[in-house]
Every structure is written in structure tokens, then in C-alpha cells.
Amino acid sequence: MINKRHTIRLQKLDYSLPNKFFVTICCHHHGCYIGQEPQLKLIINHELKKLDSYFSNINIPEYVIMPNHLHLIVEVIHQQKDVTLGTIIRVLKSKIVNSWLKIIKADNLNSLASIWQRNYFEHRIRNEIEYQKYIKYIKLNPLNWEKDRYNPTNFHSIS
């Protein structure tokens, strides 16, 4: 049986053109792997900060690393051949996993290597009002972790 997944991307949007995107990348099964492994958070922070060195056409003006996901704004400044939002996120996730695997092996950790869900969520930011809204959301997200349904200390978490 062939697994036919449908895309959640906008069919008419060219993800390589200049745009701003609010992106959410979740951990596998919403697990709190980032919160449980301080070294993993350091790796993610490091890779986010150097993402624009892999892609000269982007900027990451804001991001937040949460225990089970991360939010970032990806600004595509100009079109670059074969560089789409999907390419950028794929490289980011790959760099993080490769660096994390090295730590797992070096420190003989009993930890999950494939930390990410298969896909990611994005919203194209259409104007300055939306941009400011997402900047505020990113900055306030850590304060809302106590109420997050995937927070293992929250009594209302999903079973």
C-alpha cells in the first residue's frame, strides 16, 4: 500500500519568494525532549543562530525554544535558487539531529535521536500587524507553558 500524504502547504504560494513566515516545529508525539535534555536546547539555539550562514537569503529575527516545540520567524529576504521554506526547515532539523546524535554517541546517552515530528506548521505573515502579533506571541510563549496541554505537570494534559 502506498502512503499518499497530502501537503498542508498553500499550492499557489512560491515558498522561495521574499516573505515572512511564522513557523512551529514540534517534537515527536509532543514529547518534552528539549526540556529534558539541556544539551539539546543548546544545540538548537546554536543551529538557529547560524542558520543564516547556510542560507544567505534569510533572516531569523525572533525565535523561542520550548520544552516540546520551537517557534521562529523566517524572513526570506530574496529568492535564491532551490531554497524554499521547506529546504530551510529540513536543513535546520537535520543539522540539529546530526549534532544531537554526536552527543548521544559521545556521552552514551539513552535518548531519542529522531526528536522531530515529520512536518512543520507555517503561516505566511501578511503585514506589519501580523508580524508584531507573532513577535509578541513568541516572546510570551514561555509564560504560557504552565497552561500548555502538553506540559507534563499540567493536570489537563492529553492522555
Side-chain angles (χ1 to χ4, degrees):
M1 179 182 219
I2 296 174
N3 187 2
K4 292 191 176 189
R5 295 179 187 249
H6 71 280
T7 182
I8 58 174
R9 306 293 155 238
L10 296 172
Q11 297 301 307
K12 295 181 180 179
L13 181 61
D14 185 343
Y15 286 88
S16 68
L17 291 176
N19 261 311
K20 290 180 183 141
F21 298 95
F22 172 74
V23 177
T24 302
I25 304 172
C26 296
C27 288
H28 188 65
H29 294 301
H30 299 283
C32 292
Y33 310 119
I34 303 166
Q36 295 164 355
E37 300 288 353
Q39 289 176 304
L40 180 56
K41 185 173 182 176
L42 292 173
I43 290 168
I44 293 168
N45 190 51
H46 176 74
E47 291 300 337
L48 279 164
K49 286 184 177 182
K50 68 181 213 178
L51 191 59
D52 60 357
S53 70
Y54 305 127
F55 303 103
S56 62
N57 66 323
I58 70 163
N59 182 32
I60 308 295
E62 196 71 47
Y63 66 88
V64 65
I65 304 168
M66 299 296 292
N68 67 349
H69 66 281
L70 62 116
H71 296 296
L72 62 149
I73 292 177
V74 178
E75 182 180 5
V76 179
I77 300 165
H78 59 83
Q79 190 172 29
Q80 188 172 318
K81 187 176 179 353
D82 298 325
V83 177
T84 64
L85 180 64
T87 305
I88 295 161
I89 301 304
R90 187 170 43 255
V91 167
L92 174 64
K93 289 166 79 172
S94 175
K95 294 282 188 186
I96 292 166
V97 168
N98 287 334
S99 295
W100 180 230
L101 270 170
K102 289 176 186 171
I103 299 290
I104 289 172
K105 288 178 184 177
D107 294 351
N108 201 21
L109 297 176
N110 182 16
S111 185
L112 186 66
S114 294
I115 60 167
W116 302 121
Q117 281 187 2
R118 180 182 175 273
N119 224 324
Y120 63 92
F121 302 95
E122 104 281 329
H123 173 80
R124 183 173 62 91
I125 299 172
R126 293 174 177 87
N127 55 46
E128 185 63 25
I129 293 169
E130 278 191 5
Y131 179 72
Q132 292 304 321
K133 177 182 99 172
Y134 284 111
I135 292 286
K136 182 178 179 182
Y137 181 86
I138 287 171
K139 288 181 178 183
L140 294 177
N141 203 240
L143 300 174
N144 294 322
W145 175 242
E146 289 297 318
K147 296 179 265 176
D148 193 292
R149 67 182 184 162
Y150 295 110
N151 182 336
T153 62
N154 189 335
F155 295 113
H156 303 295
S157 62
I158 293 178
S159 56

